[in-house]
């Protein structure tokens, strides 16, 4: 973690030092055994990924995770395993802590990373798919188009990717929007 300015309380970081801290801990699986076995249930969040001209959307920044926290809390309260975040245009973006991948017509599809972090896990999944001859398509996906896929996968841990395909244990059952 890196941050500016423990030296003063202010909105500005001018005249402050950059601080860095590194912490490690055991990261348990974020979903129940049933969800791992039968797939996670996603509820579409009312919270959206911001436009690139309103926030540094390609940064791994704490304030962007606040959106995920609010979305996940609402999803939990509504009985879902996680929340599906849309972007500022209403396209599918990601889950609260994972990228989304859809299988359709023998191709792997994932949302265009124009308003969320195109992280290491996402790029690894795309590279692995291409390495084994699976076409990987990055595109804008409308929520109604995601239901037509034959499988969906959400690599649910930042440290490793879950398998993708028709028999995946992380395939998503798309669901209605949870109430706020």
């Amino acid at each position: 973690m890196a941050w500016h300015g423990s030296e003063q309380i202010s909105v500005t970081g001018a005249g402050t030092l950059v601080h860095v801290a590194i912490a490690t801990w055991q990261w348990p699986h974020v979903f129940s055994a049933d969800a791992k076995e039968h797939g996670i249930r996603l509820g579409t969040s009312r919270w959206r990924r911001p436009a690139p001209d309103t926030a540094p959307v390609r940064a791994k920044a704490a304030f962007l995770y606040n959106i995920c926290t609010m979305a996940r809390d609402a999803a939990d309260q509504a009985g879902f395993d996680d929340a599906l975040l849309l972007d500022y245009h209403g396209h599918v973006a990601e889950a609260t802590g994972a990228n989304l991948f859809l299988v359709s017509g023998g191709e792997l599809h994932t949302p265009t990373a124009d308003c969320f972090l195109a992280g290491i896990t996402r790029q690894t999944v795309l590279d692995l798919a291409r390495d084994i001859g699976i076409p990987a398509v990055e595109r804008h996906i409308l929520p109604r188009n995601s239901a037509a896929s034959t499988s969906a996968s959400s690599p649910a841990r930042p440290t490793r990717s879950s398998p993708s395909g028709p028999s995946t244990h992380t395939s998503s059952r798309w669901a209605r929007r949870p109430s706020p």
Side-chain angles (χ1 to χ4, degrees), residues 34-97:
D34 181 63
K36 289 191 306 188
E37 178 69 24
H38 301 291
I40 61 172
R41 292 181 51 237
L42 295 175
T44 302
S45 176
R46 71 183 185 101
W47 299 104
R48 302 266 178 122
R49 280 284 171 221
D53 61 348
T54 63
V57 297
R58 289 179 181 84
K60 199 163 186 75
F63 67 92
L64 292 172
Y65 280 98
N66 290 340
I67 297 167
C68 296
T69 299
M70 293 183 299
R72 177 68 186 260
D73 287 349
D76 287 345
Q77 290 173 3
F80 295 105
D81 298 307
D82 200 356
L84 173 68
L85 293 166
L86 304 179
D87 68 14
Y88 60 102
H89 287 300
H91 299 123
V92 170
E94 60 184 347
T96 62

Side-chain angles (χ1 to χ4, degrees), residues 116-139:
F116 59 89
L117 183 65
I120 296 168
T121 302
R122 179 180 182 276
Q123 192 56 53
T124 299
V125 170
L126 292 172
D127 290 344
L128 289 171
R130 291 175 179 133
D131 286 350
I132 61 173
I134 298 172
V137 180
E138 298 175 68
R139 65 181 180 89

Side-chain angles (χ1 to χ4, degrees), residues 97-103 107-111 118-138 151-165 168 170:
N99 298 115
L100 297 170
F101 297 90
L102 308 171
V103 177
E107 297 177 330
L108 184 67
H109 295 255
T110 193
I120 296 168
T121 302
R122 179 180 182 276
Q123 192 56 53
T124 299
V125 170
L126 292 172
D127 290 344
L128 289 171
R130 291 175 179 133
D131 286 350
I132 61 173
I134 298 172
V137 180
E138 298 175 68
S151 177
S153 180
S154 168
R157 291 185 70 170
T159 55
R160 69 184 165 112
S161 176
S162 300
S164 176
T168 182
T170 56

